[in-house]
Amino acid sequence: MLKGMSIRLHSEGGAGEVTGSKHVLSVDGARCLIDCGAFQGKRELAEEKNRALVPDPESLASVVLTHAHFDHCGMLPLLSKRGYRGNFYATPATRDLASVVMMDSAAIQSRDAEYLGKQAAKRGEKFDWKPLYDENDVVQAMGQFVTVSYRRPLAIGDGMRIELFDAGHILGSAMCRMSARDRSGREALIGFTGDLGRKGKPIIRDPEFLPPVDYLVMEATYGDRLHESTEDAIARLAAIVNATAKRGGKIVIPAFAIERTQELVYYFHVLHDKKLIPDMPIWVDSPMAINATSIFQIHPECYDEDVHEAFIKHHENPFGFNALHFSSSVQDSKRLNDLQGPAIIISADGMCEAGRIQHHLIHTISDPRNTILIVGYMAENTLGRRIRDGMSEVRIQGDIYKVRAEIEEINAFSAHADYAEAWDWLSHMDLVRLKKVFLVHGEPAGLKHMSEYLREKGVRDVQIVKYGEVYDLGATR
Ligand SMILES: [Zn+2]
């Protein structure tokens, strides 16, 4: 082999952990980055890792974005700010949703800087914290997107081609199949799952099966967990709404603004049409969710059959029905506090750490007629986690509140395949051709279980990717 000729893979985030996804494929030294996500979790540590931003933007030839979740797209504006001027390849829906997510982050960072600066000034302390990026950097990043629809193969540089397939995770989410050929003629086909979705999610399609690859970089968020069935979850959702309505209470649902909120709206639409829940107002109180919903409306190319039919054939809008209301202004949001009688309120942030959901919790959590319904993952050290764990009182915006509302949890709305679903998806691939599976995007226990499970199922070679470790992919055919 001549010096410098090579096809290599390494990860600079999302290896041994679930946030900060950044995977680098190098062909003869030209580097393509797959996802540039933000690290999340304990604030100071996440901030330090995000600010460090590896890989070096100057060394990158191209960037592929699999989907618009913050832990996959959140650091793209920082790449632009630090001098990267190449392309960001993504599906059209991902580009649009990423715009909302990145702008939201820039706004939160600038509000934080202002608030923390004032706090420091009150204490007479020096304050030199600066946001990682601002709105201008997001505008710069948006100008670098090149959109690629599903199954439209595209050359993205010397020896590199990509093709995107529906990952069934959130609107616009993609798996990427990359073909890489180095100067010596060695060629490898590498698949990246991004976040692997699940069959039977509403609105979006099921994950596609990938055509043959030599190597697969696969996520393992639920590498050691199985989800309950969606049918059971919808039945429970109806039961919780009915029980709360009988008590004359409200159902407050903290939910992420993208995908989860639109899914809930869709389920409530179906339950409402079938008269399985009583007539009651349903409020979506989150400006980002409202922006995201309008993006859902303009991307019918991402819908599954059911929604497509409702939308196109019956002229019905799956994201709007009589009982549904959106509130975007702060005044509207505050008016919800005075709502009398049963109602459903869906609001962000999904882990209750910030945003309007906190006001709704303040007004509902101490009344036993109400229900707080948890539908998403609540990370450690968050308000959402404390509520989920059944604390008898919680602190919200500085004040202590007794928890007297019913606390319910439904986990089946997850957007990630569990390990059995992941294997079911993988088993449709050409496993004779597949030389190795690289596992990323998981906690250590999940990664370990997943790797043992796949080996038991007969996958030839499974590698848990270590942060920074370089893997040679010199496949010859
Ligand atoms: Zn995701």
Side-chain angles (χ1 to χ4, degrees):
M1 191 182 82
L2 291 171
K3 196 167 175 275
M5 291 182 178
S6 62
I7 302 170
R8 288 181 180 140
L9 172 79
H10 75 281
S11 290
E12 304 199 1
E17 59 187 330
V18 293
T19 67
S21 278
K22 292 182 201 73
H23 310 295
V24 181
L25 191 79
S26 312
V27 180
D28 294 334
R31 289 145 75 91
C32 175
L33 175 66
I34 292 87
D35 289 337
C36 191
F39 290 103
Q40 294 165 286
K42 281 232 161 80
R43 199 183 162 112
E44 271 158 39
L45 181 62
E47 154 97 19
E48 190 185 315
K49 285 158 87 177
N50 284 328
R51 212 169 275 279
L53 188 69
V54 278
D56 167 31
E58 303 267 319
S59 74
L60 290 176
S62 52
V63 178
V64 177
L65 175 62
T66 61
H67 67 289
H69 274 151
F70 188 58
D71 61 322
H72 291 258
C73 76
M75 289 299 118
L76 291 177
L78 190 57
L79 273 188
S80 297
K81 182 181 178 177
R82 302 243 173 112
Y84 174 72
R85 287 295 176 269
N87 296 336
F88 298 135
Y89 296 99
T91 64
T94 292
R95 192 257 327 252
D96 294 350
L97 286 174
S99 171
V100 172
V101 170
M102 297 186 301
M103 273 300 180
D104 186 64
S105 170
I108 288 170
Q109 292 182 58
S110 98
R111 275 204 302 273
D112 279 359
E114 198 178 321
Y115 176 76
L116 295 172
K118 276 185 192 157
Q119 298 291 103
K122 268 190 211 160
R123 295 191 300 265
E125 288 170 12
K126 207 171 131 244
F127 180 74
D128 52 12
W129 186 83
K130 293 242 174 346
L132 288 165
Y133 55 82
D134 62 19
E135 272 101 342
N136 291 324
D137 302 312
V138 177
V139 172
Q140 168 63 43
M142 286 311 296
Q144 292 173 243
F145 271 82
V146 172
T147 56
V148 195
S149 296
Y150 295 123
R151 293 174 301 286
R152 311 297 298 178
L154 184 75
I156 62 163
D158 281 352
M160 273 197 228
R161 287 170 75 79
I162 56 165
E163 188 171 356
L164 303 180
F165 296 86
D166 201 327
H169 171 63
I170 63 167
L171 194 85
S173 65
M175 298 180 266
C176 178
R177 182 181 187 241
M178 191 173 298
S179 102
R181 182 196 291 269
D182 71 9
R183 282 191 299 260
S184 66
R186 295 197 308 175
E187 191 180 11
L189 283 164
I190 306 107
F192 293 86
T193 62
D195 284 357
L196 181 61
R198 310 172 60 197
K199 279 185 191 168
K201 299 285 290 172
I203 309 167
I204 57 171
R205 285 188 292 259
D206 291 351
E208 285 186 87
F209 300 120
L210 271 187
V213 295
D214 301 304
Y215 301 97
L216 182 68
V217 181
M218 185 173 179
E219 72 122 324
T221 313
Y222 287 98
D224 57 352
R225 277 172 65 176
L226 297 172
H227 303 310
E228 60 181 314
S229 86
T230 314
E231 289 73 31
D232 293 351
I234 296 170
R236 272 192 63 211
L237 185 64
I240 290 166
V241 169
N242 284 305
T244 311
K246 235 184 216 164
R247 299 194 299 266
K250 298 190 181 75
I251 300 111
V252 174
I253 312 178
F256 288 104
I258 294 179
E259 200 72 29
R260 189 61 39 85
T261 293
Q262 292 78 16
E263 270 177 38
L264 286 167
V265 164
Y266 180 82
Y267 288 134
F268 284 130
H269 193 172
V270 172
L271 291 173
H272 182 262
D273 280 359
K274 291 186 178 162
K275 305 209 181 312
L276 293 172
I277 53 173
D279 255 326
M280 60 202 280
I282 300 169
W283 281 89
V284 173
D285 183 29
S286 152
M288 180 147 113
I290 295 165
N291 288 337
T293 303
S294 39
I295 293 171
F296 271 63
Q297 285 169 329
I298 59 167
H299 286 289
E301 79 279 10
C302 299
Y303 297 167
D304 65 8
E305 280 296 291
D306 293 356
V307 175
H308 192 78
E309 227 169 78
F311 205 53
I312 310 290
K313 284 202 188 139
H314 307 296
H315 309 287
E316 263 188 61
N317 177 0
F319 308 108
F321 54 108
N322 287 342
L324 182 71
H325 312 276
F326 290 94
S327 75
S328 58
S329 72
V330 176
Q331 286 89 332
D332 276 352
S333 177
K334 284 187 176 150
R335 239 172 266 146
L336 297 185
N337 299 335
D338 307 325
L339 273 183
Q340 296 300 318
I344 297 169
I345 300 173
I346 306 169
S347 188
D349 146 298
M351 297 193 199
C352 312
E353 277 297 276
R356 294 178 180 181
I357 185 67
Q358 293 200 331
H359 295 278
H360 298 303
L361 289 171
I362 285 171
H363 284 90
T364 54
I365 202 162
S366 301
D367 184 337
R369 289 176 301 171
N370 299 329
T371 300
I372 314 297
L373 174 57
I374 311 278
V375 291
Y377 184 73
M378 297 292 178
E380 281 186 347
N381 304 313
T382 61
L383 173 58
R385 179 65 163 256
R386 287 189 283 276
I387 294 172
R388 198 209 79 146
D389 287 350
M391 307 281 278
S392 59
E393 48 184 41
V394 288
R395 183 185 292 275
I396 311 174
Q397 297 185 355
D399 295 316
I400 302 281
Y401 296 87
K402 289 239 177 304
V403 180
R404 293 209 180 93
E406 296 278 327
I407 309 299
E408 296 278 1
E409 185 178 11
I410 301 179
N411 266 324
F413 299 132
S414 172
H416 293 269
D418 63 26
Y419 67 83
E421 291 167 329
W423 162 247
D424 178 63
W425 173 82
L426 184 62
S427 68
H428 287 82
M429 287 185 68
D430 179 349
L431 296 179
V432 177
R433 166 108 186 227
L434 183 64
K435 290 189 174 68
K436 196 182 236 185
V437 173
F438 292 96
L439 292 180
V440 297
H441 203 288
E443 302 288 353
L447 291 163
K448 183 167 177 287
H449 181 266
M450 184 78 142
S451 86
E452 288 163 0
Y453 184 74
L454 292 184
R455 275 201 205 98
E456 260 168 45
K457 292 288 184 189
V459 175
R460 233 192 297 170
D461 194 359
V462 186
Q463 170 78 51
I464 296 172
V465 172
K466 292 198 188 74
Y467 180 93
E469 194 158 302
V470 178
Y471 305 93
D472 192 8
L473 312 184
T476 34
R477 280 198 290 136

